[in-house]
Amino acid sequence: MENGLLAAILFATVVAGTPLVVAALGELVAERAGVLNLGVEGMMAVGAVAGFAAAHTWGSAPAGVGAGLLAGAGMSAIFAFLALTLTANQVAAGLALSIFGVGLSAFVGKAWESESLAAVPATRIPLLADLPLLGPALFSHQWLVYVSWLLIAAVAWFLSRSRAGLVLRAVGESPASAHAIGHPVLRIRWLATLFGGAMAGVAGAFLSVFHTPLWAEGMVAGKGWIALALVVFATWRPLRAAFGAYLFGGVMVAQLFLQGSGLQIEIPSQFLSALPYLATVIVLVAISRNRQKIRLNSPVSLGQPWRPDA
């Protein structure tokens, strides 16, 4: 395979994996606090339409990212109020949020369906971008891709090295114990949920402002569900989540490459389009076979409601 083609595939893999990385890391932080928010798909959809509308109105990609962040956080606040403050079932509340978000984005986005944005230019990193193969594949991306790499490092450091991360993990393992020694469990869970929603919104804004600078109904196309699966795939570890995101991104790019290559392959295009989701199911089934490993790494109180006066 020629270096140029390999670099193009690696480049596309990184781009395809970026929204998965951002959304999965946000959900991972929320789940490490014991909050299971299944509304990632809906939050990404709302973040995508809000980000596109802001970027189109103000002509600014950072404004689009900010709007997506706020929209995602706002959606997660609805979930947090229902699931944390009112102690509603987290699974039901998350599913409802996902359905609501997808419908809301389709309704709000009608006015923007025929619009498009100017492509956000790539930011070449001096010297590194000139490296053979890796330079054009890794160091010639749009700036939000580099921000996602900083996010990976920040979340990994926060959860494993910082005192606040230790407290958040303690809340996810035993909220009663954390409350007994004076930690504000509900406040920590609220903040973790808002962070997860904000990252889902940023992931949606990446799709509509950076990846394909336009809004189209259904453009999230199940990536929120894949991000949820990635958290389990990664056994709640940030670096594994990033690896999994790029792995699934590679599967997405591979099916697009096969469809556009013109090769005489007797495989229906619908099957190739389903490959990323099929890979998700296979990976989850494979991981679920080792229940002991899942049980050892998953937060003990994940999905369980908690009240300080219970």
Side-chain angles (χ1 to χ4, degrees):
M1 184 179 293
E2 295 180 1
N3 281 350
L5 179 58
L6 182 58
I9 292 175
L10 288 175
F11 180 91
T13 296
V14 172
V15 173
T18 296
L20 298 177
V21 168
V22 176
L25 289 177
E27 177 64 17
L28 188 147
V29 170
E31 292 195 9
R32 290 303 294 260
V35 181
L36 179 62
N37 185 355
L38 299 181
V40 178
E41 181 83 1
M43 295 188 293
M44 284 184 69
V46 173
V49 71
F52 180 84
H56 188 274
T57 302
W58 290 298
S60 166
V65 174
L69 186 149
L70 292 176
M75 289 287 289
S76 66
I78 298 174
F79 171 83
F81 178 73
L82 294 173
L84 302 182
T85 303
L86 301 182
T87 63
N89 183 284
Q90 293 186 14
V91 173
L95 290 174
L97 186 75
S98 185
I99 296 169
F100 172 68
V102 172
L104 178 65
S105 64
F107 174 72
V108 175
K110 281 294 180 186
W112 304 98
E113 284 186 338
S114 59
E115 305 291 343
S116 62
L117 296 172
V120 178
T123 302
R124 288 171 52 85
I125 298 181
L127 300 179
L128 294 177
D130 297 325
L131 292 173
L133 182 61
L134 293 181
L138 300 179
F139 304 112
S140 300
H141 286 281
Q142 295 161 316
W143 58 266
L144 194 54
V145 174
Y146 305 129
V147 173
S148 72
W149 295 351
L150 295 177
L151 179 68
I152 295 170
V155 170
W157 174 85
F158 173 77
L159 290 176
S160 63
R161 300 291 181 184
S162 72
R163 184 176 183 277
L166 179 64
V167 171
L168 181 138
R169 287 160 50 200
V171 167
E173 296 297 329
S174 177
S177 300
H179 175 69
I181 58 177
H183 293 301
V185 174
L186 271 184
R187 188 191 308 166
I188 291 170
R189 285 189 163 186
W190 256 89
L191 291 174
T193 305
L194 291 177
F195 176 79
M199 292 303 100
V202 171
F206 178 83
L207 291 173
S208 63
V209 178
F210 291 81
H211 191 197
T212 55
L214 53 82
W215 159 256
E217 183 181 344
M219 70 183 306
V220 176
K223 293 182 177 64
W225 300 111
I226 293 178
L228 277 166
L230 278 172
V231 178
V232 182
F233 167 83
T235 57
W236 292 269
R237 297 179 183 179
L239 296 181
R240 288 187 183 184
F243 171 75
Y246 292 124
L247 182 64
F248 283 108
V251 175
M252 293 180 188
V253 170
Q255 61 93 9
L256 291 174
F257 172 75
L258 286 174
Q259 291 190 56
S261 63
L263 298 175
Q264 299 299 321
I265 301 175
E266 297 296 330
I267 301 176
S269 61
Q270 294 86 350
F271 178 78
L272 293 175
S273 299
L275 272 181
Y277 311 102
L278 181 62
T280 303
V281 172
I282 292 173
V283 167
L284 284 180
V285 169
I287 291 174
S288 299
R289 291 180 62 190
N290 192 343
R291 294 186 178 181
Q292 186 178 5
K293 188 174 182 180
I294 292 290
R295 194 175 296 118
L296 282 175
N297 291 288
S298 65
V300 174
S301 69
L302 181 62
Q304 298 176 5
W306 182 85
R307 291 180 65 90
D309 55 351

